[in-house]
Amino acid sequence: DIQVSQSPSSLSASVGDRVTITCRASQSIANYVNWYQQKLGKAPRLLIYAASTLQGGVPSRFSGSGYGTDFTLTINSLQPEDFATYYCQQSYITENTPESFGQGTRVEIK
Amino acid sequence: QITLEESGPTLVKPTQTLTLTCTFSGFSLTTPGVGVGWIRQPPTKTLEWLALIYWDDDKRYSPSLRSRLTVTKDTSKNQVVLTMTHMDPADTATYFCAHRHSVRGPPYFDYWGQGMLVTVSS
């Protein structure tokens, strides 16, 4: 299986801060990485797909980068509504390799 | 506008079979490149991908759960059904269905149901 390791597991930040979350795959997965935001009691919301493409309707302060094994989600100028948990997902599915999600990064108010 | 909604029992007993239905609108599961996936999330834990079914009836399952899962579609009703056998308390989770976009490039889930909590307890 392809494992994804997400870090940090949590962070504290202030409104206006720049936040960076990383996701590392156990083997090369090209750009098969997506990023989701989840608020308590809600379904995940797609932010970024194919490592760096912003989903429609998502604010431009969110950006993604990376290729191969190392990926990054960046939130520029953190806003109050951005306090949530963020997950990376590798979608490099094969016959015997499932998709998988990272462990999540909880972004809390400092 | 794409919407999805999960339905089924909220409480099942150990060893029973769980049947969940995802009813969707705003897209057709006959359109090339379209799929519906199932993902679950135990309380306070991360997301776990379970299964996928595509417009052409191609199906994919999590290898660790393959022997217990079955996914089917009814395109006339705009529904996808997930069956999981031999339920255990460890299967207690919120179960989501989601619209799968896989026309060009890496696939992703762009629309999700609100999820439903299924508790396994005697």
Side-chain angles (χ1 to χ4, degrees):
Chain A
D1 292 4
I2 299 174
Q3 307 299 323
V4 285
S5 176
Q6 189 176 338
S7 63
S9 58
S10 66
L11 64 90
S12 295
S14 301
V15 172
D17 284 353
R18 181 180 185 183
V19 167
T20 299
I21 300 168
T22 63
C23 185
R24 174 165 289 176
S26 57
Q27 64 187 72
S28 179
I29 53 173
N31 63 338
Y32 281 62
V33 164
N34 309 309
W35 291 95
Y36 300 86
Q37 176 194 65
Q38 188 180 32
K39 296 184 178 179
L40 197 62
K42 301 293 187 182
R45 171 197 181 196
L46 177 68
L47 298 175
I48 302 283
Y49 63 90
S52 61
T53 303
L54 194 67
Q55 170 70 344
V58 175
S60 59
R61 62 180 179 273
F62 291 92
S63 64
S65 64
Y67 191 91
T69 60
D70 294 316
F71 303 88
T72 299
L73 173 70
T74 300
I75 311 172
N76 284 303
S77 188
L78 198 68
Q79 297 300 300
E81 60 267 31
D82 300 336
F83 292 96
T85 300
Y86 294 84
Y87 295 95
C88 62
Q89 176 212 11
Q90 66 85 7
S91 60
Y92 197 83
I93 189 172
T94 65
E95 185 64 37
N96 293 304
T97 299
E99 299 186 6
S100 54
F101 292 83
Q103 290 304 304
T105 296
R106 185 175 177 182
V107 177
E108 301 173 319
I109 300 174
K110 183 182 286 185
Chain B
Q1 180 188 1
I2 291 176
T3 65
L4 304 98
E5 184 173 10
E6 305 86 355
S7 60
T10 57
L11 178 65
V12 297
K13 290 180 167 46
T15 75
Q16 286 187 337
T17 294
L18 171 69
T19 299
L20 293 175
T21 300
C22 177
T23 303
F24 57 85
S25 64
F27 67 96
S28 172
L29 249 184
T30 61
T31 302
V34 172
V36 171
W38 287 94
I39 304 98
R40 70 178 179 180
Q41 186 174 35
T44 75
K45 295 188 178 180
T46 189
L47 301 154
E48 180 183 15
W49 177 86
L50 300 177
L52 271 171
I53 187 166
Y54 288 103
W55 83 100
D56 58 358
D57 212 37
D58 184 22
K59 302 169 186 177
R60 302 296 173 101
Y61 296 101
S62 170
S64 64
L65 294 168
R66 186 191 308 272
S67 63
R68 300 173 53 204
L69 293 174
T70 302
V71 62
T72 59
K73 61 181 173 66
D74 185 333
T75 53
S76 66
K77 294 182 179 179
N78 280 354
Q79 290 181 333
V80 170
V81 175
L82 179 75
T83 302
M84 181 179 289
T85 61
H86 302 104
M87 293 293 285
D88 181 89
D91 296 314
T92 294
T94 296
Y95 287 76
F96 298 97
C97 63
H99 173 269
R100 177 74 155 193
H101 179 101
S102 55
V103 175
R104 283 185 296 273
Y108 49 88
F109 295 115
D110 51 358
Y111 296 91
W112 294 62
Q114 79 272 23
M116 66 173 297
L117 177 62
V118 177
T119 301
V120 184
S121 174
S122 55

